[in-house]
Amino acid sequence: MTAPAGATTGRSGMSGRLGLGGVSLRRIGALGRAEMILLLRNKTAATTALLLPLATVGLFSTFLEGDGHVSTGAFLATGMFGFVLLYVVYYNLVTTYVARREERVLKRLRTGVATDAEILIGAAVPALVLALTQTVLTVVAAMVFIDLPVPVNLPVLLLAMLAGCAIFVLLAAASSGFTRTVETAQLTTLPVLVISMIGSGVAGSVDAMPDTFATVCRMLPLTPVLDLVRLGWLGTTGAEAPRDFVGVLSEARQPAVIILLWLAVGVSAIRRWFRWDTRH
Amino acid sequence: MNQTMTAPDPAMAPPGRETVVQVTDLRRRYGGSDGFEAVRGVSFSVGRGELFALLGTNGAGKTSTLELVEGLAVPSAGTIRVFGRDPYRERTAVRPRTGVMLQEGGFPADLTVAETARMWAGTLPRAHPVDHTLELVDLRHRARTQVKQLSGGERRRLDLAMAILGQPEVLFLDEPTTGLDPESRHNTWQLVRALLVDGITVLLTTHYLAEAAELADRLAIMHRGRIVTAGTVADVVAAHPARISFELPDGTSPTDVPTLPGIQPAPAGAAPRSGSRLTLYTDALQPALTALLGWANARGVELGGLDARAASLEEAFLAVAHSEDESMTGGTA
């Protein structure tokens, strides 16, 4: 007898091959609903997830300027994608994974039918919903209020955001392994947050950096995501004149490869560092 | 295969009964090859509809063993089969048929009881109605209370409710009644008994001897990672002497008491004298008691607070707890 009929809508597919088990949307939905209630009940976490990205962009708008073919407004609007990934997905999820682990919720869930992948994704549902909502609102608001163009290549923009979510869910799960309490998450998330802020084009264009530094920065996890966001929306990362729907695709190749590398790094990082149980 | 052996192993399910849980030479070592070995060669099996209790001192390896059977970790050595399958590698096949209660917690503090139950039910292929299950553990009136506001006993009951919510065929309960008041404990026992009547198999750990005596078809007492003794309560107790205790009458000394039939040395860890109270051990309770009363009669003295009882799990447990590791190894070195 294998899994009962109707319980598993997905097959073991990709996540099965990664050793995380199959995926059922029904179970992810049940876990995700509970997580959403928990997020909204936790004032600190809810404030971080709902207000911090916008507040940061507001702060940065007081001193940042656009670069090359990217206007200041366009730079800030695309930068919002970065802050959403860093705060709503990454930081928020590190605290979520740590809190659930320390409450032994992860261990308890693991005794049940839900697979490892479903538990990890289920806990990430509110973060992903809020992140995607905020980026959609950002695009709409930017088009309405600061006259940014309709995205040049919407599929590239969407894929960039989904890939960014995947990378930062994986990095959050891996970082939670180094984090003993929810409070110390403020420290353990600093390396990723600070390096991304400095080097990934949220606070200044990577193209404007000195060559060797720029080469390193292009390899950071957030940089290729923001490159694709800018290519998909604006048709350029700044240095070159904006391209059209098709022209964007050739530019997108290099960031896409770096994204795939980070997804691989993220998967091996959680398999190595993620912990389901409190320390013995 | 154990049917072919002449003397059945008391740790194994009775022949003729379908084996639900089969544990063979199980070992669990924490922290690498020179780490602490918490489980050191444990074997037992549980038949369908049986309740098997793992007893033991703190740190005996009960929880470490149970976690492996639950499929939460991979053993360092040995095999586990639940319904004939590996509970870790074949978890998608095994999990829909098992219900688990961990020793500690496991539900988000900010969710209410009802939200917790709905979340858990949403992960199960065939869940009982939530209200009905909460009713069974007497928590329905607390459905809108957040988990963090529940008492310790109420949390244990919520945990038990979640363990049975998925209509499991086998339950793994790690200290299910720790922290419960006596009434809740009895209610839990009643619930477990009702589940056994329905044919559910139960493997539980406990450090309440009364719980094991009350519920277990068979039990094993663990000490330092090994099963020291196993079998039915009667089997386990049979190896231990009965106990007679009384106040020494004024003007008599312990040496005045005659040598009673079947007299045994006091088990390790037991105090033969406490104040004027003397405790004697015998494996022939009735003749020993007759001789003692005859002696008291002849001397015309009264034995105050006379108490005579057959061995209980407590004697067996204390004997194990105070035994030296060396004398208890099962021969596998």
Side-chain angles (χ1 to χ4, degrees), chain A residues 2-79:
Chain A
T2 51
T8 306
T9 52
R11 293 137 302 276
S12 297
M14 167 112 137
S15 129
R17 262 173 270 134
L18 296 175
L20 293 169
V23 169
S24 143
L25 290 179
R26 183 177 81 92
R27 292 196 286 263
I28 289 174
L31 298 173
R33 263 192 302 281
E35 281 294 339
M36 188 61 101
I37 295 171
L38 288 167
L39 178 67
L40 298 177
R41 250 171 224 168
N42 180 336
K43 295 212 169 55
T44 317
T47 310
T48 306
L50 292 171
L51 298 179
L52 201 55
L54 193 59
T56 312
V57 168
L59 177 70
F60 278 38
S61 72
T62 59
F63 57 85
L64 272 187
E65 280 184 18
D67 171 63
H69 294 275
V70 177
S71 69
T72 303
F75 190 79
L76 289 169
T78 48

Side-chain angles (χ1 to χ4, degrees), chain A residues 41-159:
Chain A
R41 250 171 224 168
N42 180 336
K43 295 212 169 55
T44 317
T47 310
T48 306
L50 292 171
L51 298 179
L52 201 55
L54 193 59
T56 312
V57 168
L59 177 70
F60 278 38
S61 72
T62 59
F63 57 85
L64 272 187
E65 280 184 18
D67 171 63
H69 294 275
V70 177
S71 69
T72 303
F75 190 79
L76 289 169
T78 48
M80 176 77 179
F81 281 67
F83 293 117
V84 164
L85 288 173
L86 291 178
Y87 294 135
V88 183
V89 179
Y90 178 68
Y91 177 77
N92 172 36
L93 274 184
V94 173
T95 61
T96 301
Y97 287 135
V98 171
R100 299 298 165 265
R101 183 189 70 216
E102 295 302 309
E103 289 177 313
R104 294 170 200 263
V105 174
L106 295 180
K107 185 177 183 182
R108 190 68 176 78
L109 288 174
R110 264 195 128 200
T111 66
V113 179
T115 64
D116 292 356
E118 288 161 3
I119 295 168
L120 290 177
I121 298 170
V125 163
L128 298 177
V129 168
L130 289 182
L132 294 174
T133 311
Q134 290 187 49
T135 51
V136 168
L137 289 178
T138 301
V139 173
V140 172
M143 281 162 41
V144 173
F145 296 115
I146 56 174
D147 288 334
L148 283 197
V150 175
V152 173
N153 188 324
L154 199 57
V156 166
L157 181 60
L158 271 177
L159 277 177

Side-chain angles (χ1 to χ4, degrees), chain B residues 125-164:
Chain B
R126 47 189 173 119
H128 281 297
V130 164
D131 286 348
H132 167 73
T133 308
L134 291 179
E135 187 75 60
L136 284 179
V137 297
D138 194 23
L139 274 182
R140 198 166 169 186
H141 64 292
R142 302 286 269 161
R144 299 164 73 95
T145 308
Q146 288 188 354
V147 170
K148 65 183 169 197
Q149 283 155 358
L150 297 179
S151 71
E154 287 172 329
R155 281 185 211 190
R156 289 314 273 157
R157 278 145 55 197
L158 173 63
D159 212 338
L160 179 62
M162 297 306 97
I164 62 177

Side-chain angles (χ1 to χ4, degrees), chain B residues 1-2 29 66 73 90 119 133 139 148-149 160 172 182 186 190 202 217-218 223 241 250 255 269 292 314 321 332:
Chain B
M1 46 185 171
N2 46 359
R29 190 184 285 280
L66 198 59
E90 299 176 89
M119 171 189 78
T133 308
L139 274 182
K148 65 183 169 197
Q149 283 155 358
L160 179 62
F172 301 124
H186 281 275
Q190 231 173 346
V202 183
D217 295 299
R218 288 181 306 119
H223 186 54
D250 288 339
T255 49
L292 179 69
E314 189 171 341
T332 43

Side-chain angles (χ1 to χ4, degrees), chain B residues 153-202:
Chain B
E154 287 172 329
R155 281 185 211 190
R156 289 314 273 157
R157 278 145 55 197
L158 173 63
D159 212 338
L160 179 62
M162 297 306 97
I164 62 177
L165 188 59
Q167 309 194 24
E169 293 168 62
V170 57
L171 271 177
F172 301 124
L173 308 176
D174 200 352
E175 298 191 4
T177 61
T178 297
L180 296 193
D181 61 50
E183 194 203 347
S184 303
R185 179 169 305 144
H186 281 275
N187 289 344
T188 299
W189 290 354
Q190 231 173 346
L191 176 57
V192 171
R193 259 189 235 110
L195 294 166
L196 290 168
V197 168
D198 289 344
I200 291 175
T201 307
V202 183

